Amino acid sequence: MRTSYAIVLVATLLCPAMAVAQTAPVPQPAAPSPAPGLLARIGEVDFGFRVTSVSGDAARYQRLRDLRDGPTLDRFRYDREKPAWAFRAAMDHVGYRDQRYAASFERHGALKASFEWDQVPLFYSADTRTPFRSESTGTFRLNDAVQAGVQNGTATTALFVPESTLFELRSLRETADARFSYRAAAPLDLKVSFKSTGRTGAQPWGLSFGQSNAVEIAVPIDHRTNDVNATAEWSTERAMARLAYDGSWFNNDIETLIWDNPLRLTDLAATPSQGRMALWPDSTAHTVSATGSVVLPARSRAFGYVSIGTWLQDQALLPHTINTAIAPIPLARTSAEAEARIVSMQYRLTSRPTPMIWLNGQFRLYDYDNRTPHFAVDQYVRTDAGAATSLTGGSEPFGYTRHFVDLDASFTPLTFAAFRVGYGRERDDRTFRFLDETTEQVVR
């Protein structure tokens, strides 16, 4: 791979002072006094024009960046600071797929606010070909005449090669991140953050109609995740308390994928003409948590954390098959109705009553309570190629509870020698598994 670049111009603007080399000292007039309260105001800009020549794998060369030819504003920085506040702004690779913008403002000891916009491209391939045509988002079709010839035995799948068109396979991830922190009182801080991450484009995806008939397509991507956090934190030298809420919403605009079978144009009970699958479902998650810590006598500290969360997913369910030669099988319900309740706890006590003795104990619990209703299935369809009897009778909402206990003690009679003993116990309680309960104990 070869690359060449045009000259890049670099300028430093608004600098408070500039050093100049001289052969002999020359008396200088007194510098003007800065504006009252002004500490610094600094700017920087890096711009130019880029010309790139690549031989070889252009996609690998630009895997996570954008090196197209053209004018560039590659870097911009602006900082302004006063005794009471500071402001900063930054831009990178403006106008290209890997651009980034950021700004922050801080009033010292009172509030902080920041925003960042970031793009990350992913260039898979510049020489990908496919015979599939995307008639609509998520639907991929083949030439019916070629399908019919392969089905009748008058043609081979090699005829799909001239049908293949060249395209660039790439995706783009965009992230917006906003944060705000405010000190309401000396020991109390309030914080709010919002992060939105979206991804568009396409990525390689393997599909099959059994073990010997597999195809690869560029599955379309158009989904977004929005995360929100709100926190209130109170802290002093001897204690700390924190209450927080976390929410997450995932939305996928392309819910179903349909593709043609390169070996058949019409349906048979054992061989479908097309396949269908569900893509990532919309889902939400909500969590409320509390954290506390307090200093105790005898150089001891106690810590506790508790969180309760809910995961929800209620996407519409697809029929068992898209194969018209198989009689429809009724669904137990039309949507997933998936729900899980998550409880997490951790408690820890550490103590060093004397320089020679150290004690530590902690307890952890993680409870995954799957509340999704049982989904009854008597008959199902395997790879759109024939009905079969279910051996399990449907879905089994797997859940589990884990308990951890750890106790440690250390005795240090000499500077470079210590005796330490510990005990650990883990117990797992599971639902719908062959081993419902296991317990593991360790002495060390």
Side-chain angles (χ1 to χ4, degrees), residues 132-142 217-220 254 256-260 274-276 279 322:
F132 285 96
R133 306 182 310 274
S134 181
E135 294 184 347
S136 60
T137 304
T139 301
F140 294 85
R141 299 301 184 189
L142 295 169
I217 66 170
V219 63
I254 305 173
T256 307
L257 185 63
I258 298 175
W259 70 100
D260 275 348
Q274 58 183 340
R276 177 173 58 191
L279 295 177
I322 198 174

Side-chain angles (χ1 to χ4, degrees), residues 58-87:
R60 185 178 295 275
Y61 174 60
Q62 303 181 80
R63 183 72 79 207
L64 297 172
R65 53 186 180 169
D66 186 0
L67 297 178
R68 287 176 292 173
D69 297 344
T72 64
L73 179 54
D74 198 59
R75 176 183 172 88
F76 174 83
R77 296 291 184 272
Y78 178 76
D79 296 344
R80 186 171 184 180
E81 185 172 350
K82 286 192 173 184
W85 56 267
F87 172 79

Side-chain angles (χ1 to χ4, degrees), residues 217-367:
I217 66 170
V219 63
I221 302 171
D222 189 3
H223 56 67
R224 180 168 292 278
T225 303
N226 295 316
D227 297 317
V228 174
N229 171 266
T231 302
E233 184 173 316
W234 176 86
S235 61
T236 65
E237 293 182 356
R238 300 189 59 83
M240 181 273 291
R242 180 178 182 269
L243 183 65
Y245 164 78
D246 291 276
S248 181
W249 294 263
F250 174 79
N251 180 70
N252 184 19
D253 290 336
I254 305 173
E255 301 175 352
T256 307
L257 185 63
I258 298 175
W259 70 100
D260 275 348
N261 186 347
L263 305 183
R264 289 215 51 95
L265 179 63
T266 58
D267 284 328
L268 289 177
T271 310
S273 65
Q274 58 183 340
R276 177 173 58 191
M277 70 173 295
L279 295 177
W280 311 277
D282 296 349
S283 60
T284 60
H286 306 275
T287 303
V288 176
S289 62
T291 307
S293 176
V294 61
V295 176
L296 301 174
R299 285 177 288 188
S300 304
R301 177 179 288 272
F303 167 84
Y305 170 83
V306 178
S307 71
I308 300 176
T310 300
W311 298 351
L312 302 170
Q313 192 266 97
D314 196 24
Q315 191 78 11
L317 300 178
L318 295 178
H320 279 278
T321 183
I322 198 174
N323 191 338
T324 58
I326 299 176
I329 301 174
L331 296 173
R333 56 179 181 268
T334 59
S335 62
E337 298 182 13
E339 179 184 358
R341 180 70 54 82
I342 314 298
V343 177
S344 179
M345 300 181 184
Q346 182 175 0
Y347 306 100
R348 179 185 297 121
L349 177 63
T350 61
S351 179
R352 196 177 187 91
T354 70
M356 291 190 299
I357 298 176
W358 171 80
L359 304 172
N360 177 67
Q362 65 173 326
F363 169 79
R364 289 179 291 161
L365 178 143
Y366 186 86
D367 182 15

Side-chain angles (χ1 to χ4, degrees), residues 396-430:
E396 296 175 337
F398 170 62
Y400 60 92
T401 302
R402 287 179 175 171
H403 305 81
F404 301 87
V405 174
D406 277 300
L407 302 174
D408 288 284
S410 178
F411 175 64
T412 310
L414 302 174
T415 303
F416 299 104
F419 299 94
R420 188 170 179 178
V421 62
Y423 168 75
R425 184 175 187 269
E426 176 184 345
R427 191 186 73 187
D428 291 356
D429 297 322
R430 309 177 185 87

